[in-house]
Amino acid sequence: MTRQDSGASHIARRWIAVAAAVIIVLVVGTSVLVSGVLSGEEPAATVLTTAPAAPPPPVEDWYDLTTYQTVESGAGHETLASISIGVGKEPFARAIRGSAGSSATQPANFRTWSTAGRCTRLSVWIGKDAASLQTEGVGQFVIRADEAEAVTRQASIDDAPQHVEVDISDVDRLTLLDVRAGRDAANAWGTPRVFCSAPPGKAV
């Protein structure tokens, strides 16, 4: 046998050995897979772990103040389904009427809500109750942000409704206070609401 024939024979034997090894591996792997299926074993699953999703940001919305509990209030405020203010023709839904004698030093017509820094704006219409039996007097309307007087307005029964919008960012306690002499027309707060990321207290 020549050296060339001997080399070719050696290469052929190596390829036969490699092929045999591959066949053995395939046979063993197939046997293990079949054995696992026949024994009812589940193949190992790959577990993917993900970081917990961040909570969604708070949803800001308008909240009707009359439907939430106050932290403090006087005896002179009552909630109404609607009210007409001064010479305005259209009634305001969800309203407050201040009908008791009330002053800044001895308040009876007031309500305080806990906004706890969650609210940014107050929107309300103010004036005299158009349905009052009395028609005299000038009412004073005070909006307090914590202990500071943010806004003070005045109105008679002959005035049109006044819209008031106040920045109440970072305010913990919001107070609506109105002043009324005993013979004056009742005061009115039409549709008082706040823009918040959470309700201004528990629902009534």
Side-chain angles (χ1 to χ4, degrees):
M1 179 182 293
T2 66
R3 290 184 61 184
Q4 184 175 4
D5 291 338
S6 176
S9 177
H10 178 70
I11 293 173
R13 285 196 300 273
R14 288 183 61 186
W15 277 111
I16 290 171
V18 170
V22 171
I23 291 172
I24 291 171
V25 170
L26 291 175
V27 169
V28 171
T30 303
S31 299
V32 171
L33 179 61
V34 171
S35 175
V37 171
L38 293 177
S39 64
E41 295 179 359
E42 292 289 336
T46 302
V47 179
L48 298 178
T49 58
T50 58
V59 177
E60 292 186 314
D61 201 357
W62 287 102
Y63 293 89
D64 170 22
L65 279 175
T66 64
T67 61
Y68 292 94
Q69 293 178 2
T70 59
V71 293
E72 192 177 2
S73 62
H77 266 183
E78 60 180 320
T79 300
L80 303 177
S82 66
I83 201 166
S84 294
I85 298 177
V87 296
K89 302 299 181 182
E90 297 295 328
F92 294 92
R94 304 177 308 279
I96 298 171
R97 178 165 59 198
S99 55
S102 178
S103 66
T105 56
Q106 294 182 319
N109 299 343
F110 78 95
R111 294 187 188 188
T112 300
W113 289 268
S114 174
T115 51
R118 299 185 298 263
C119 305
T120 56
R121 281 181 288 165
L122 163 72
S123 171
V124 65
W125 294 83
I126 60 172
K128 287 291 188 180
D129 177 12
S132 291
L133 296 178
Q134 300 95 333
T135 59
E136 303 299 322
V138 175
Q140 186 175 6
F141 299 83
V142 180
I143 297 169
R144 286 181 179 164
D146 292 330
E147 298 303 319
E149 293 189 5
V151 171
T152 300
R153 296 283 179 87
Q154 292 184 336
S156 72
I157 203 167
D158 296 322
D159 293 328
Q162 300 179 48
H163 182 237
V164 179
E165 188 161 325
V166 182
D167 184 350
I168 56 171
S169 302
D170 302 321
V171 171
D172 289 325
R173 290 165 61 95
L174 174 68
T175 300
L176 304 183
L177 163 69
D178 57 84
V179 174
R180 174 183 179 272
R183 295 184 179 181
D184 292 349
N187 299 319
W189 302 83
T191 317
R193 57 183 189 156
V194 285
F195 191 74
C196 310
S197 59
K202 295 181 179 180
V204 176

